[in-house]
Amino acid sequence: MKFFVDTAEITEIRELNDAGLVDGVTTNPSLIAKSGRDIVEVTKEICALVDGPVSAEVTAVDYAGMMREAAVLAKIADNVCIKLPLTLDGLKACKAIVSDGRQTNVTLCFSANQALLAAKAGATFVSPFIGRIDDIGWDGMDLIGEMRRIYDNYGFATQILAASIRTVNHVKDAALIGADAATIPPGVLRQLVKHPLTDKGLDSFLADWARSGQKIG
Ligand code: G3P
């Protein structure tokens, strides 16, 4: 399972990337706005840090505008993955951008039929927003399960990128159900390593070791 970090904060990306936890990065207009940075400048910096795909999202809602913005974003670096909304214009742009040899991430996916359309448009990644589905009292993980079955039924190469992840259990459940990748907020990514019994066990090993008076090397 690939781990993408869902942020435009350079310090966070650098730290997690140095720890070997980052296979790619996703951003969206809200995350760019939150960073307070210019989209082109910050995306360029992220692309220089991380080898994997870096999703940068168009903000136009019409096909021509999306294609214009995608051309600007694609010029930033070879690993920019163009992120497009799951609309008819977004799907049309996805098809055109993929046929130019560029990776795409079709975002704001909330139904299996939308996911089927994104796969048919040749999307590299499709992002089901599981947290936002949970927010309205449905089960986001059910959508990932349906997508997995549909993509496997037809051999679609589109990768399921679990998004709108809020908890460590979202990550575990997405992995169990077969998501290809998850885009994870930095705080949740850091929590994945934590277990109280690991800390307790380490404390007790270190206390015993100190009593032994030994040293390695
Ligand atoms: O990857 C999409 C993500 O940024 C949306 O997350 O928490 O705003 O629903 P959230």
Side-chain angles (χ1 to χ4, degrees), residues 23-208:
D23 299 308
V25 175
T26 56
T27 65
N28 61 36
S30 305
L31 293 171
I32 297 286
K34 190 171 161 211
S35 77
R37 302 278 314 275
D38 171 80
I39 183 168
V40 172
E41 280 173 21
V42 75
T43 305
K44 196 173 192 166
E45 264 183 62
I46 299 170
C47 289
L49 272 180
V50 173
D51 292 332
V54 174
S55 290
E57 187 162 343
V58 299
T59 55
V61 292
D62 63 299
Y63 171 75
M66 286 178 187
M67 293 304 289
R68 251 193 324 273
E69 292 185 0
V72 173
L73 297 172
K75 267 202 214 109
I76 297 173
D78 288 344
N79 56 335
V80 169
C81 172
I82 305 295
K83 202 169 176 189
L84 302 147
L86 216 159
T87 59
L88 280 181
D89 285 64
L91 293 173
K92 186 176 168 189
C94 174
K95 202 162 191 167
I97 293 165
V98 165
S99 71
D100 279 350
R102 175 67 61 164
Q103 294 200 331
T104 55
N105 175 359
V106 175
T107 189
L108 291 167
C109 176
F110 292 96
S111 79
N113 280 331
Q114 287 182 320
L116 180 54
L117 289 171
K120 284 175 70 64
T124 317
F125 301 99
V126 62
S127 295
F129 273 33
I130 58 180
R132 292 192 195 184
I133 295 175
D134 291 356
D135 286 345
I136 60 161
W138 297 12
D139 187 345
M141 218 47 70
D142 287 348
L143 172 58
I144 297 191
E146 289 176 349
M147 288 170 65
R148 183 72 284 152
R149 280 175 60 193
I150 291 169
Y151 286 6
D152 290 350
N153 282 348
Y154 296 98
F156 283 120
T158 297
Q159 297 176 54
I160 302 170
L161 171 54
S164 185
I165 293 230
R166 307 275 175 74
T167 65
V168 290
N169 282 336
H170 274 155
V171 179
K172 179 186 74 174
D173 293 342
L176 282 170
I177 213 157
D180 300 286
T183 187
I184 310 172
V188 176
L189 194 41
R190 273 191 288 267
Q191 276 172 18
L192 292 179
V193 77
K194 295 207 161 89
H195 197 288
L197 291 181
T198 303
D199 296 339
K200 193 175 170 211
L202 187 57
D203 286 349
S204 115
F205 283 156
L206 293 179
D208 291 343

